[in-house]
Amino acid sequence: MITIATKVKEVREQVKAWKKAGLTVGFVPTMGYLHEGHQSLIKRAVEENDKVVVSIFVNPMQFGPTEDLDSYPRDLEKDSALCEATGANLIFHPEPEEMYTDGFCSYVDMSVLTEELCGLSRPVHFRGVCTVVSKLFHIVTPDRAYFGQKDAQQLAIIKRMVLDLNMDIEIVGCPIVREADGLAKSSRNTYLSPEERKAALILSQTIQLAEQLLQSGEKDAATIISQMTKKIESEPLARIDYIKIVDAMTMQQIPTIDRPILCAMAVYIGKTRLIDNTMFE
Ligand code: PAF
């Protein structure tokens, strides 16, 4: 049975022992309710490291007051089985009190990259992500950490944080994993009713449209965004939060496709906010 550590001290002791034995450590931070997207990160970590730690922690600090912290899906038993079957060695599953002790008041914050895209509609989100990920990095002290490209802004932010704060960790970005019909895998897909699940296909179809336009040589960001907007608006259950084209490194909007870009969107299907994106070099 895979070990589930609930205390910081247990993780530290185990990782220290591995390092003393000269072993490398890969790390996959998650909020649990694991799916094939997370599994692809764990698989990659297992391939590239001697030992792999997966954290499962629904981080209260990255949820806004009206967001889905309480209803966020949880299933530790299923998650442990998936981690074990995929070859992970240790799960870190702390209680919030273990991560945020009484009187907690230190944060990791970032400007610029966090001010666009999801940062606009989720103002406290990235401060919560940066804070918890740096805490987890200090606890696990991995050689490599694995993040999905589905959360492209989060991945860019973590890479920037590691660079800015001289953290000696290699950040590995892994491709988006999709359902057979194209919908990007997400723990939040479980919120969708059957009718909404069908409607949610509009996201990946719109990303495909953007990819076609980019590949055919369209260089005007406004033209691409306007066609994407029309496509999303053709789905009655969909409501756009944002559709944007930004510089892939800085997350700042650009008018012309003249560098590596991220084309990203967040769309509500009913009450569920879903994201999807594509990168173009
Ligand atoms: O991507 C996630 O699941 C979370 O934002 C992360 C990186 C585990 C931090 O809580």
Side-chain angles (χ1 to χ4, degrees):
M1 276 285 271
I2 189 165
T3 309
I4 302 181
T6 56
K7 301 288 177 210
V8 171
K9 192 168 171 277
E10 292 172 72
V11 178
R12 287 221 165 109
E13 280 171 7
Q14 178 59 88
V15 172
K16 264 189 198 150
W18 286 336
K19 292 206 167 170
K20 210 170 161 199
L23 303 176
T24 56
V25 177
F27 176 45
V28 183
T30 81
M31 297 208 301
Y33 215 71
L34 306 178
H35 50 64
E36 288 91 333
H38 299 109
Q39 195 171 25
S40 73
L41 306 180
I42 302 172
K43 264 191 199 145
R44 176 97 181 254
V46 168
E47 279 162 22
E48 297 180 352
N49 302 275
D50 299 316
K51 297 288 177 187
V52 171
V53 180
V54 177
S55 65
I56 296 177
F57 178 59
V58 182
N59 173 35
M61 198 190 282
Q62 69 190 69
F63 288 78
T66 59
E67 292 181 358
D68 55 345
L69 172 62
D70 293 337
S71 57
Y72 197 85
R74 292 156 168 93
D75 190 342
L76 184 60
E77 210 173 302
K78 198 160 151 261
D79 289 350
S80 316
L82 182 143
C83 289
E84 187 166 14
T86 316
N89 304 95
L90 178 68
I91 293 174
F92 179 41
H93 179 56
E95 289 296 327
E97 299 72 39
E98 178 72 4
M99 292 297 278
Y100 302 112
T101 45
D102 246 7
F104 183 93
C105 56
S106 307
Y107 302 89
V108 179
D109 214 344
M110 187 184 294
S111 58
V112 187
L113 279 77
T114 59
E115 287 159 8
E116 266 292 343
L117 309 175
C118 291
L120 288 173
S121 38
R122 305 189 71 192
V124 299
H125 178 64
F126 288 118
R127 180 166 101 144
V129 170
C130 287
T131 302
V132 81
V133 171
S134 26
K135 282 172 67 64
L136 291 166
F137 282 177
H138 286 303
I139 295 163
V140 179
T141 62
D143 297 282
R144 297 180 193 86
Y146 297 79
F147 292 84
Q149 183 62 46
K150 165 147 177 293
D151 295 300
Q153 187 178 15
Q154 169 172 278
L155 175 58
I157 286 170
I158 300 297
K159 283 185 178 164
R160 186 77 233 181
M161 178 181 83
V162 163
L163 181 71
D164 287 353
L165 301 183
N166 304 92
M167 295 175 171
D168 191 12
I169 299 169
E170 183 189 336
I171 302 301
V172 183
C174 301
I176 298 178
V177 177
R178 296 182 180 278
E179 302 286 353
D181 62 6
L183 179 67
K185 299 246 181 200
S186 163
S187 307
R188 289 190 168 100
N189 290 349
T190 52
Y191 297 153
L192 301 168
S193 69
E195 192 194 0
E196 289 170 344
R197 172 65 184 76
K198 272 191 212 143
L201 275 187
I202 198 68
L203 277 92
S204 53
Q205 288 167 357
T206 303
I207 288 295
Q208 275 170 22
L209 169 67
E211 283 169 347
Q212 282 158 14
L213 291 165
L214 288 160
Q215 273 152 21
S216 71
E218 180 58 65
K219 294 263 178 281
D220 184 40
T223 304
I224 299 169
I225 291 168
S226 131
Q227 297 219 26
M228 291 173 75
T229 304
K230 256 192 224 148
K231 174 110 190 148
I232 296 280
E233 284 173 353
S234 71
E235 170 49 63
L237 292 185
R239 181 169 58 82
I240 296 171
D241 178 3
Y242 67 78
I243 300 178
K244 282 186 185 167
I245 292 182
V246 297
D247 178 303
M249 297 276 284
T250 65
M251 301 287 115
Q252 301 307 292
Q253 288 189 72
I254 49 163
T256 310
I257 315 301
D258 56 2
R259 69 197 87 178
I261 59 111
L262 168 71
C263 174
M265 63 184 175
V267 172
Y268 286 93
I269 302 291
K271 285 193 177 129
T272 307
R273 184 176 176 278
L274 299 175
I275 55 174
D276 204 343
N277 70 75
T278 186
M279 305 280 286
F280 189 75
E281 302 251 333

